[in-house]
């Protein structure tokens, strides 16, 4: 019983130590989230799109990656863009990259996982945001 | 489960840069700087419960889960079990992705397959609590098809990453 308590206390101390060491990095990322949410507004995101399906899909992926916030924000922006006549490819790419890519968390990812891992994961996420959006819309068109 | 000196100093430098950005913003546009600070504080308040979950999981991992077990269930030869755990864990994990970095980097150091970590990250884009809202905006068919492709893409990306990233790569 006492041995188990010791194991638990030692593990808790180690975990607290790790989180404490990461506090500056975590606070920096949270600070960046506030700045991005303030300076990158939905209106600014809307202004990047042109109406060309191909170009807008790419823009959707990039703007999704630089946007931050809860996932529902991407649905609201995406819904608004869709109502304005923007292609579903671009809207899907936007809502996907909104949650899979994150410019603000790149420094932390690089520090903890290394350059190669961060580069490979983010490049794959970028490419697959486009691929998944194309496949989703195609499948939807075939089925409905 | 330790944070290297390089990681610590990088964190401090990054925090200094962000504080400088806030000071610059406060100098030229105090209203927006205040707004950004309030938003950051609100994020901090929202993530506090998730941080507690992360702390609990890290403690549990360190205290009771042997590296051999982790390697068996989530190592390069874990098979379908490993992929199932990665996808399920990704879908069920809450909060911002960066909160899960410490525990994932710890698991990686204990021999978890890189491909499974990549799959976990991508599967996180299925946000179960927000699915009804997505369906109300884009329809049920869209939501189901997108969710299916996200999970498929998570596995494909994990498989590709497995080939490209050597185990324990921190270069």
């Amino acid at each position: 019983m006492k041995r188990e308590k010791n194991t638990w206390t030692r593990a808790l101390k180690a975990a607290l130590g790790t989180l404490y060491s990461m506090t500056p990095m975590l606070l920096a990322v949270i600070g960046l989230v506030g700045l991005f949410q303030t300076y990158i507004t939905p209106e600014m995101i809307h202004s990047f799109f042109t109406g060309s399906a191909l170009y807008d899909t790419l823009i959707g992926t990039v703007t999704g990656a630089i946007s931050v916030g809860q996932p529902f924000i991407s649905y609201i922006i995406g819904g608004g863009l869709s109502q304005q006549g923007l292609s579903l490819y671009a809207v899907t790419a936007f809502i996907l990259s909104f949650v899979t890519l994150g410019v603000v968390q790149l420094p932390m990812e690089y520090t903890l996982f290394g350059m190669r891992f961060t580069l490979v994961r983010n490049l794959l996420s970028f490419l697959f945001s486009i691929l998944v959006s194309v496949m989703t819309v195609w499948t939807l068109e075939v089925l409905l | 489960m330790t944070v290297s000196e390089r990681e610590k100093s990088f964190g401090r430098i990054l925090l200094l840069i962000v504080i400088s950005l806030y000071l610059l913003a406060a100098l030229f546009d105090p209203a927006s700087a205040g707004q950004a600070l309030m938003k950051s504080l609100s994020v901090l308040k929202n993530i506090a419960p998730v941080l507690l979950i992360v702390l609990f999981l890290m403690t549990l991992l360190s205290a009771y889960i042997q590296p051999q077990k982790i390697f068996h269930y989530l190592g390069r030869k874990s098979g379908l079990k490993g992929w199932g755990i990665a996808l399920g864990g990704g879908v069920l994990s809450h909060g911002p992705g960066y909160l899960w970095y410490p525990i994932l980097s710890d698991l990686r150091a204990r021999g978890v397959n890189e491909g499974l970590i990549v799959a976990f990250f991508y599967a996180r884009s299925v946000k179960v609590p927000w699915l009804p809202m997505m369906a109300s905006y884009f329809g049920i068919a869209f939501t189901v098809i997108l969710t299916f492709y996200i999970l498929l893409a998570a596995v494909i990306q994990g498989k590709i990453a497995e080939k490209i990233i050597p185990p324990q790569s921190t270069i």
Side-chain angles (χ1 to χ4, degrees):
Chain A
M1 185 76 178
K2 194 180 173 188
R3 198 176 143 206
E4 189 159 307
K5 197 182 165 193
N6 279 343
T7 312
W8 182 256
T9 313
R10 220 178 17 246
L12 182 66
K13 272 186 187 165
L16 276 172
T18 304
L19 280 184
Y20 177 74
S21 310
M22 284 180 187
T23 303
M25 209 186 304
L26 206 57
L27 287 177
V29 172
I30 292 167
L32 280 177
V33 169
L35 284 173
F36 270 61
Q37 280 184 346
T38 306
Y39 289 101
I40 298 174
T41 60
E43 294 75 33
M44 195 187 283
I45 291 167
H46 276 251
S47 70
F48 289 129
F49 295 94
T50 60
S52 145
L54 189 71
Y55 175 79
D56 283 350
T57 305
L58 202 63
I59 291 296
T61 311
V62 174
T63 49
I66 57 168
S67 307
V68 283
Q70 288 286 330
F72 73 88
I73 295 170
S74 71
Y75 307 154
I76 296 169
I77 299 173
L81 289 170
S82 187
Q83 277 173 0
Q84 285 176 11
L86 203 75
S87 79
L88 197 53
Y89 295 107
V91 173
T92 313
F94 173 77
I95 56 177
L96 254 178
S97 67
F98 192 95
V99 282
T100 56
L101 290 162
V103 170
V104 290
Q105 55 208 40
L106 275 180
M108 192 170 178
E109 188 172 345
Y110 159 72
T111 314
L112 292 178
F113 293 96
M115 173 66 91
R116 192 163 185 165
F117 181 95
T118 307
L119 203 65
V120 170
R121 191 194 78 76
N122 283 282
L123 273 177
L124 284 173
S125 284
F126 186 89
L127 288 175
F128 273 84
S129 289
I130 298 171
L131 275 177
V132 169
S133 68
V134 170
M135 290 305 294
T136 303
V137 180
W138 276 0
T139 311
L140 205 61
E141 282 171 358
V142 169
L143 291 179
L144 301 178
Chain B
M1 191 164 53
T2 52
V3 178
S4 71
E5 276 309 312
R6 186 183 73 98
E7 289 165 359
K8 280 185 198 168
S9 56
F10 190 84
R12 283 188 217 115
I13 293 168
L14 191 65
L15 184 60
L16 276 178
I17 292 171
V18 174
I19 291 171
S20 312
L21 286 175
Y22 269 92
L23 289 176
L24 265 178
L27 204 64
F28 294 106
D29 185 7
S32 297
Q35 204 183 337
L37 190 64
M38 291 315 287
K39 283 184 176 170
S40 289
L41 289 174
S42 152
V43 171
L44 196 60
K45 203 174 101 186
N46 288 336
I47 64 168
V50 189
L51 259 180
L52 284 179
I53 296 174
V54 171
L55 178 69
F56 173 73
L57 290 175
M58 285 171 86
T59 309
L60 200 70
L61 262 178
S62 177
Y64 299 112
I65 301 177
Q66 302 298 317
Q68 305 93 291
K69 279 244 166 84
I70 294 177
F71 198 74
H72 174 70
Y73 285 106
L74 297 165
R76 288 228 162 197
K77 290 177 181 163
S78 56
L80 275 177
K81 244 184 336 224
W83 292 101
I85 294 171
L87 294 184
V91 170
L92 295 175
S93 63
H94 284 286
Y98 53 84
L99 281 186
W100 294 92
Y101 287 175
I103 197 165
L104 290 173
S105 78
D106 181 37
L107 280 169
R108 188 173 174 231
R110 289 161 185 255
V112 169
N113 174 5
E114 274 77 7
L116 295 183
I117 295 174
V118 169
F120 175 95
F121 273 126
Y122 207 77
R124 278 182 42 80
S125 46
V126 178
K127 302 286 183 190
V128 179
W130 298 112
L131 285 181
M133 189 172 180
M134 184 192 261
S136 78
Y137 268 95
F138 304 103
I140 293 174
F142 175 88
T143 308
V144 172
I145 294 167
L146 182 63
T147 303
F148 168 75
Y149 280 125
I150 287 173
L151 295 177
L152 186 66
V155 175
I156 298 172
Q157 284 181 63
K159 286 282 178 194
I160 296 171
E162 230 176 38
K163 303 264 182 255
I164 303 177
I165 310 169
Q168 278 300 291
S169 170
T170 48
I171 356 165

